[in-house]
Amino acid sequence: MNNYLIQTKNLSKNFKKQVAVNNVSLNVLENSVYGLLGPNGAGKSTTLKMFTGLLRPTSGEILFSGHPWTRNDLAQIGALIEMAPLYENLTAKENLKVRTVMLGLPNSRIDEVLRIVDLTKTGNKKAGKFSMGMKQRLGIAIALLNNPRLLILDEPTNGLDPIGIEELRDLIRSFPKQGITVILSSHILSEVQQTADHIGIINNGILGYEAEVRPDENLEELFMKVVRETRGDI
């Protein structure tokens, strides 16, 4: 029996006359990395925002650990959607301290997450002086503070150089061994193929494909096939 941490059943989100997410049913296995692929504007971020309570579904259902999702489940979810929410005039530790106070978490959690993302040696350096890769890792540290079961990362490699991408890939791959399930959205096919255990391909709000990642698979060809089908080109 498969243990799914999060599933959707015919999940939809409409904005006035636009259907952003159209009857999406996806399945994310516990302690895995799930890659949600799609071009810009495909519905990836809208789907993830519904998982984090930032948007309310128009219809359909979200299941978390087998039960209907409620806002109480946010205590077990960490997310980095779009830009990392940093105070650029504060250090890494100070940024995390603000969040521990807000969440009522112990100070010991600060050093724990800094070790996880390899930012223990930043000292008094302000976050505004960090490289893009360091900012992304600090954003992930913030998302990890509440010790989540599910970590949602929306386009986390945007703006990173090749070294930063490789470091982030290794970090993401380490999470399932720590009991953290990851949903990773991206439009960079090669990166997801090296990082994810399973993928879903979404376009025009439609989930056109979902399966286990196969290293020898021509993901670009598969991606374009799904895009054509969900555009109604064939």
Side-chain angles (χ1 to χ4, degrees):
M1 180 179 175
N2 291 325
N3 293 320
Y4 294 112
L5 183 60
I6 195 160
Q7 293 178 283
T8 67
K9 306 291 186 183
N10 299 318
L11 187 67
S12 296
K13 179 61 182 178
N14 303 341
F15 296 102
K16 294 184 179 179
K17 295 182 179 181
Q18 179 191 5
V19 180
V21 175
N22 189 357
N23 289 314
V24 165
S25 297
L26 57 77
N27 306 276
V28 180
L29 282 169
E30 193 165 13
N31 297 332
S32 70
V33 177
Y34 185 101
L36 186 61
L37 284 167
N40 292 330
K44 302 187 302 296
S45 294
T46 301
T47 301
L48 299 184
K49 286 177 180 178
M50 286 189 278
F51 292 170
T52 57
L54 294 173
L55 292 174
R56 187 188 299 271
T58 302
S59 61
E61 188 176 23
I62 303 171
L63 300 177
F64 185 83
S65 197
H67 64 260
W69 181 100
T70 71
R71 296 195 70 85
N72 291 335
D73 293 313
L74 293 176
Q76 300 183 73
I77 298 173
L80 175 57
I81 295 180
E82 297 169 351
M83 296 296 293
L86 306 181
Y87 296 102
E88 297 208 337
N89 61 323
L90 300 181
T91 66
K93 279 194 172 185
E94 289 167 345
N95 266 280
L96 292 166
K97 176 64 176 177
V98 171
R99 271 71 180 196
T100 56
V101 171
M102 291 170 57
L103 297 170
L105 298 171
N107 284 337
S108 59
R109 193 67 186 136
I110 294 174
D111 288 332
E112 289 171 3
V113 296
L114 286 174
R115 281 195 297 272
I116 291 171
V117 301
D118 194 23
L119 286 178
T120 57
K121 298 178 181 178
T122 55
N124 293 322
K125 188 173 185 177
K126 306 298 185 186
K129 301 292 186 182
F130 284 7
S131 67
M132 182 63 73
M134 291 170 68
K135 287 180 178 180
Q136 287 294 81
R137 282 187 280 142
L138 181 53
I140 293 172
I142 292 170
L144 291 172
L145 270 175
N146 63 332
N147 202 19
R149 292 177 64 194
L150 175 64
L151 177 64
I152 295 172
L153 303 176
D154 187 20
E155 302 280 4
T157 59
N158 271 0
L160 299 189
D161 59 25
I163 293 175
I165 290 174
E166 184 176 357
E167 290 175 346
L168 193 57
R169 181 199 311 145
D170 292 342
L171 177 61
I172 292 169
R173 286 299 319 162
S174 73
F175 287 138
K177 297 173 185 175
Q178 302 173 51
I180 301 171
T181 303
V182 181
I183 300 178
L184 164 72
S185 87
S186 182
H187 61 275
I188 304 174
L189 308 185
S190 60
E191 193 53 42
V192 171
Q193 193 163 26
Q194 294 180 71
T195 309
D197 302 300
H198 297 81
I199 58 167
I201 301 177
I202 188 171
N203 183 57
N204 201 27
I206 299 168
L207 187 71
Y209 178 86
E210 184 180 63
E212 188 173 356
V213 172
R214 300 202 309 269
D216 59 341
E217 190 167 45
N218 188 330
L219 193 53
E220 183 175 356
E221 184 177 292
L222 175 62
F223 181 86
M224 292 310 301
K225 179 176 182 290
V226 171
V227 168
R228 287 194 302 272
E229 289 173 346
T230 51
R231 281 178 178 166
D233 293 350
I234 58 173

